[in-house]
Amino acid sequence: MRGVRWSALPARMRRLGRAHCAEAARATVAAGLTWQTCTALLHTTGPYAGAVAALLIVETTVVRTVSAALRYGGGCLLGVLVAVPAAWYARPQAAGLLLVVFASVLLARRDFLGHHGIHVPTTALITFALVRDRHSGELYSHLAEIVLGIAFGLACSALLFPAVRVRSAEHALEELRTLVARYLDALADTVVDRRPPRDVLGPAWEQDLDRALQRARTAVDEAHESVRWNPRPAARRRRWHLDHRVLRTLSEVAHELTATGRLLDAHPQAAGACGPGTGFAQPYARLLRTTALCAYSCRGGRPHPALPATRRALTRLGTARHGPPATGTEAGRLLRHLESALSCLSAPPPAPPVRTHRALGPLRPSSRR
């Protein structure tokens, strides 16, 4: 599994490199447009405030850019609101400055501003100095640069090929499906050979499964975020109504897989606890391999056709001629974990939304004769 993970690393790095280059290009274009617009409209020789605003709000997705723009603009607005009254009415100047610093730092620590809270004291100090020295024109120019920078940052983030990370989520889900199916198939080998799963899967197989789950969750969340408010046609064509269900199903199967592996690690002879005459190990191994096939085919559509027969075979194995294994025995726990995994995979697909057509009212008779 380490070889598979390392072989997928170059492709993952290339995708990250393309995403970072695209984000840097959008930020560069936004800063350049802001600079040119400020010099043409505001007649400022160095509109650094607008260029910095455009650079800082451009994020990977449109949703993050809008959030950064709101926080950046909110921080600057709070700084102005704190500094202007203090510059007008606070006497002496040192007392007003201390009051502005104290209030702006308190507001900057609020969670809703995030790391953009630093702009509250920065804007407050600049505003206090300009208003105190009667440079209101420079203050208006400074604020106008920030507004233009935010506007160009939003426009470039939304219009210059915003990222659509659906394919990354598909790759992460495919990797998780493959890993779950491979581990289930390997558990079948450990049941037949009566060996601990650590000897077959490796000592870090649980950590590898947890990392794959975390990568899949992160990729699915990023895919949903990249599609929201995205004007690209590729984003509008995506219908992501099954990915969370697939991820939840695979997570539950992985949970049962981990529990089964831990049980077999603690009791390698658990599958043979019913005795050689009962024939438990071989049928249970076949059920594990069929479950691996069903887990690999879990893609959000209909359940695998082999699932009903697999569940019936599991029921027959539990109620064999020697009676079902006791609920407290290891064999009974193995059956319960497998039954839970099959129940997760057997969940019916969501029903398509029903379109309701509003019936037209009857034609009213005309009052004209």
Side-chain angles (χ1 to χ4, degrees), residues 187-204:
L187 284 183
D189 296 335
T190 62
V191 167
V192 174
D193 299 336
R194 298 186 181 183
R195 298 169 56 192
R198 290 182 180 274
D199 295 346
V200 179
L201 301 177

Side-chain angles (χ1 to χ4, degrees), residues 165-175 177 219 238 240:
R165 295 192 168 182
V166 176
R167 189 170 299 175
S168 300
E170 293 173 352
H171 287 310
L173 287 175
E174 183 66 24
E175 179 184 355
R177 273 191 294 265
R238 299 289 183 176
W240 276 77

Side-chain angles (χ1 to χ4, degrees), residues 12 43 69 112 139 158 212 222 229 240-242 248 270 272 315 343 362:
R12 195 175 300 126
H43 305 289
F112 66 91
L139 175 62
E222 289 180 352
W229 302 347
W240 276 77
H241 59 283
L242 295 174
R248 183 170 59 252
T315 304
S343 299

Side-chain angles (χ1 to χ4, degrees), residues 54-335:
L55 285 173
L56 292 181
I57 71 164
V58 173
E59 297 285 348
T60 307
T61 61
V62 180
V63 175
R64 292 185 184 180
T65 302
V66 172
S67 176
L70 291 176
R71 293 179 180 181
Y72 191 100
C76 295
L77 180 61
L78 287 176
V80 172
L81 294 178
V82 168
V84 170
W88 282 349
Y89 303 111
R91 296 292 185 275
Q93 183 176 359
L97 180 63
L98 293 178
L99 178 62
V100 167
V101 171
F102 181 77
S104 61
V105 170
L106 283 182
L107 291 174
R109 300 298 175 89
R110 306 304 297 175
D111 295 335
F112 66 91
L113 291 177
H115 65 276
H116 290 288
I118 188 63
H119 302 297
V120 180
T122 303
T123 308
L125 290 177
I126 294 174
T127 303
F128 182 83
L130 294 177
V131 173
R132 193 78 180 186
D133 295 337
R134 302 294 191 273
H135 297 300
S136 57
E138 295 183 9
L139 175 62
Y140 296 149
S141 177
H142 178 80
L143 297 179
E145 291 175 14
I146 293 176
V147 171
L148 287 175
I150 292 175
F152 277 110
L154 288 172
C156 291
S157 179
L159 300 178
L160 294 182
F161 302 102
V164 179
R165 295 192 168 182
V166 176
R167 189 170 299 175
S168 300
E170 293 173 352
H171 287 310
L173 287 175
E174 183 66 24
E175 179 184 355
L176 179 60
R177 273 191 294 265
T178 304
L179 193 62
V180 169
R182 187 170 300 175
Y183 281 176
L184 283 170
D185 191 70
L187 284 183
D189 296 335
T190 62
V191 167
V192 174
D193 299 336
R194 298 186 181 183
R195 298 169 56 192
R198 290 182 180 274
D199 295 346
V200 179
L201 301 177
W205 69 274
E206 293 186 33
Q207 290 79 5
D208 293 341
L209 187 59
D210 291 339
R211 281 192 291 267
L213 278 170
Q214 186 60 38
R215 283 195 299 269
R217 292 191 185 101
T218 303
V220 168
D221 292 340
E222 289 180 352
H224 275 277
E225 184 182 278
S226 67
V227 171
R228 288 179 58 195
W229 302 347
N230 197 323
R232 288 180 60 182
R236 293 196 299 267
R237 287 195 299 266
R238 299 289 183 176
R239 295 187 177 273
W240 276 77
H241 59 283
L242 295 174
D243 52 351
H244 278 303
R245 178 177 172 270
V246 172
L247 180 59
R248 183 170 59 252
T249 301
L250 291 175
S251 300
E252 293 171 354
V253 174
H255 175 72
E256 301 299 334
L257 165 64
T258 304
T260 303
R262 290 174 181 173
L263 179 59
L264 291 175
D265 268 327
H267 306 280
Q269 307 294 328
C274 298
T278 59
F280 181 82
Q282 291 291 342
Y284 183 75
R286 286 196 296 269
L287 291 176
L288 282 176
R289 292 191 174 95
T290 309
T291 306
L293 177 63
C294 297
Y296 185 72
S297 64
C298 178
R299 302 176 187 275
R302 295 181 179 275
H304 196 276
L307 269 173
T310 306
R311 300 192 69 176
R312 289 193 297 268
L314 180 64
T315 304
R316 288 196 301 268
L317 181 62
T319 58
R321 55 182 178 176
H322 291 277
T327 56
T329 63
E330 289 79 8
R333 292 166 62 187
L334 289 175
L335 291 177

